[in-house]
Amino acid sequence: MNTFDLIVIGAGPGGYVAAIRAAQLGLKTAVVEKEHLGGICLNWGCIPTKALLRSAEVYHMMQHLDEFGLSASNLQFDIKKIVERSRKVSSQLAQGVKHLLKKNKVTVFDGMGSLKNGKTVSVKSTDGKTTDLTAKNIIIATGARPRILPGLEPDGKYIWTYKEAMIPETLPKKLLVVGSGAIGSEFASFYNAFGSDVTIVEVMDQVLPQEDHEISERAKKAFEAKGIKILTKTTVQSLKVINDNVDAVLKTATVEHTESFDRVITAVGVVGNIENIGLESTKIKTENTRILTNEYCETNEPGVYAIGDVVAGPWLAHKASHEGILCAEKIAGLHAHSINKLNIPGCTYTSPQVASIGLTEKKAKELGYELNIGRFSAVGNGKSIALGEMDGFIKTIFDKKTGELLGAHLIGPEVTEMIQGFGIAKTLETTESELMHTIFAHPTLSEMMHESVLDAFGRAIHL
């Protein structure tokens, strides 16, 4: 009864997708989940934050009604209702995952799963009972948790991780965000939109450190124009709660000073959940809190795979889901395609939005490529002007010798929806010729993509 073809430990966007795909392929499949179907992404990450940011976007639009010939008085917001809507969105999708698993006849075990060996998973339920499951194949999809730096430990009340930042009872008047990656920058945008005085501290020399430098610079200007203070090349030495405030010691290369904030959000990355899952009973190897795998997500233990945030980055939900499908298809005996990480898009839902895929200009040059680079501003796009959202541009990077699209970097309205066009282009190994001869509908924001490609080869029309 407790023997399966595949057991998946963890039901996040990697685990539950792997389980469904395996079931579709005829494998008897079980999922072990200790807390939330859908994982962090659906319950405390990607989805609920986008619901919060949608409220911020609508509120921002309300404050600029006059530009569209509209008017309203006594504009207000209710942070409790905003949070409540976010939680409802999350709950609805979690129920959807439960339905999908049931529909596909995946057996769900509630509890903490750990490996007894490479073929057996022990499940400890909340009531303390233990059940052993066996399978020929196991996928570890245990995800990650916030990285905690010494001296910056969260207390859940004054010093927050993303979880507390998602469910505020009141808005802080003065907020410090430690880290300017996607999570930190998105929360900074949200709280800034509702009137908090926000400061971002980043140890690197640019905000959104993973992005192309030009995109980062434009994002910095946009954030600062909205009133967000940005301190790069700065570290937070310590945090101390004093009289309902948090004193932060901020240090640059030359200066150290103390500043007081109502609340602090720490967003300095994540660490893999590799503890207490029985790795020591297997041949699985780890490095820097991540399970080591090959290009097909196989660990050193035969028949055991690992996917998502518990393995090497990028730590993105869509990458985890794709890895889950890869594993399920390989286990089922299908021809599995390894993932080209340069074809994985990244999206940041700040205001303005940021999206990218492939190499940055700096990285492409470091690798020795000769480049053709195109840029096109949202100011020259009719749809952007009609929407009243003209802050942004698109940058495309091509190999001068072959015409290969090496990277695309976008900032501006709805670029998180447009990036997939470049994703398809890279997957198909499209060159500049195919992109230039593609007909883009008018009037659309996507025309900026076309113009950026044309500009890389001196053929832009609307520059």
Side-chain angles (χ1 to χ4, degrees):
M1 183 178 177
N2 290 332
T3 300
F4 298 87
D5 297 314
L6 170 65
I7 300 167
V8 184
I9 305 175
Y16 88 76
V17 169
I20 290 173
R21 182 62 182 133
Q24 289 175 345
L25 293 169
L27 300 178
K28 184 182 178 184
T29 305
V31 162
V32 180
E33 173 54 51
K34 69 173 184 175
E35 193 170 7
H36 300 296
L37 293 178
I40 293 297
C41 174
L42 193 154
N43 291 278
W44 294 101
C46 320
I47 301 301
T49 54
K50 302 313 163 284
L52 294 175
L53 288 162
R54 176 58 174 166
S55 293
E57 180 184 358
V58 172
Y59 186 61
H60 173 78
M61 289 290 292
M62 289 168 63
Q63 293 172 306
H64 293 81
L65 291 175
D66 186 62
E67 297 174 16
F68 299 89
L70 307 172
S71 64
S73 58
N74 195 28
L75 297 179
Q76 298 181 52
F77 65 86
D78 186 329
I79 190 61
K80 291 183 179 180
K81 287 185 177 180
I82 290 170
V83 171
E84 182 181 335
R85 176 180 180 273
S86 170
R87 302 314 307 156
K88 283 182 178 179
V89 169
S90 178
S91 177
Q92 179 180 340
L93 287 169
Q95 288 300 311
V97 172
K98 183 178 180 180
H99 167 73
L100 288 171
L101 291 169
K102 183 178 180 180
K103 174 186 173 184
N104 286 278
K105 296 180 174 58
V106 175
T107 305
V108 178
F109 290 87
D110 298 320
M112 177 70 184
S114 61
L115 297 163
K116 292 185 75 171
N117 53 57
K119 303 297 178 187
T120 306
V121 175
S122 179
V123 182
K124 186 175 182 180
S125 61
T126 53
D127 61 8
K129 293 181 180 178
T130 300
T131 304
D132 284 349
L133 314 177
T134 60
K136 295 179 182 179
N137 299 281
I138 296 169
I139 297 176
I140 301 170
T142 50
R145 62 187 184 277
R147 173 179 278 112
I148 306 301
L149 298 181
L152 278 65
E153 293 84 359
D155 60 13
K157 184 176 181 181
Y158 297 97
I159 305 169
W160 296 342
T161 64
Y162 59 77
K163 191 169 185 178
E164 294 83 21
M166 219 169 291
I167 51 172
E169 294 182 2
T170 59
L171 286 172
K173 292 181 180 179
K174 191 174 181 183
L175 173 68
L176 172 65
V177 179
V178 186
S180 72
I183 294 174
S185 293
E186 286 179 2
F187 277 124
S189 285
F190 172 75
Y191 282 96
N192 167 259
F194 289 108
S196 295
D197 179 1
V198 179
T199 298
I200 296 176
V201 168
E202 171 56 55
V203 67
M204 303 296 285
D205 61 356
Q206 66 175 52
V207 293
L208 299 170
Q210 301 301 317
E211 300 296 338
D212 185 89
H213 181 69
E214 287 185 62
I215 299 294
S216 171
E217 282 298 303
R218 177 63 68 90
K220 182 175 184 285
K221 290 178 181 177
F223 294 169
E224 289 178 333
K226 295 177 186 296
I228 297 174
K229 301 180 184 69
I230 296 175
L231 304 175
T232 54
K233 296 183 181 179
T234 303
T235 59
V236 181
Q237 297 293 100
S238 65
L239 299 171
K240 187 174 182 180
V241 178
I242 301 176
N243 298 326
D244 289 335
N245 287 294
V246 184
D247 281 359
V249 178
L250 309 179
K251 184 179 181 181
T252 66
T254 57
V255 179
E256 181 175 297
H257 77 282
T258 300
E259 193 169 344
S260 185
F261 298 88
D262 296 343
R263 297 292 184 272
V264 176
I265 299 174
T266 61
V268 290
V270 294
V271 295
N273 292 323
I274 60 173
E275 303 88 356
N276 305 315
I277 58 173
L279 298 186
E280 65 280 358
S281 63
T282 70
K283 299 175 183 178
I284 294 172
K285 295 181 179 180
T286 64
E287 184 177 281
N288 297 325
T289 80
R290 292 316 194 287
I291 294 174
L292 298 179
T293 62
N294 65 12
E295 68 271 30
Y296 296 105
C297 303
E298 296 170 307
T299 70
N300 291 78
E301 180 69 35
V304 179
Y305 300 74
I307 63 175
D309 287 2
V310 78
V311 301
W315 299 299
L316 301 167
H318 43 282
K319 176 252 195 184
S321 296
H322 202 85
E323 287 175 330
I325 291 171
L326 184 161
C327 289
E329 293 183 348
K330 184 169 179 59
I331 291 167
L334 301 183
H335 177 65
H337 295 273
S338 61
I339 296 174
N340 181 350
K341 292 186 177 181
L342 289 177
N343 290 351
I344 301 174
C347 297
T348 304
Y349 297 81
T350 46
S351 179
Q353 294 180 4
V354 173
S356 60
I357 191 168
L359 299 175
T360 62
E361 179 182 351
K362 179 181 178 182
K363 186 63 177 178
K365 287 179 177 178
E366 288 175 355
L367 292 173
Y369 287 102
E370 291 185 59
L371 306 177
N372 281 328
I373 298 176
R375 301 171 183 83
F376 192 80
S377 173
V379 174
N381 177 261
K383 183 68 176 291
S384 294
I385 296 170
L387 291 175
E389 298 186 38
M390 295 166 284
D391 187 8
F393 72 99
I394 292 178
K395 176 178 180 179
T396 46
I397 302 171
F398 292 88
D399 180 357
K400 183 179 289 188
K401 293 181 180 178
T402 66
E404 178 188 359
L405 175 65
L406 298 175
H409 306 276
L410 297 68
I411 182 169
E414 300 303 328
V415 296
T416 56
E417 297 293 335
M418 288 194 282
I419 190 63
Q420 198 53 41
F422 287 125
I424 293 169
K426 281 186 61 59
T427 298
L428 294 177
E429 299 181 351
T430 302
T431 68
E432 90 289 355
S433 178
E434 288 88 2
L435 286 168
M436 286 194 286
H437 287 91
T438 297
I439 299 173
F440 286 71
H442 175 79
T444 63
L445 296 171
S446 65
E447 289 176 282
M448 290 187 285
M449 300 165 65
H450 196 208
E451 291 276 10
S452 179
V453 173
L454 292 170
D455 181 56
F457 297 88
R459 294 175 55 176
I461 300 298
H462 294 97
L463 275 178

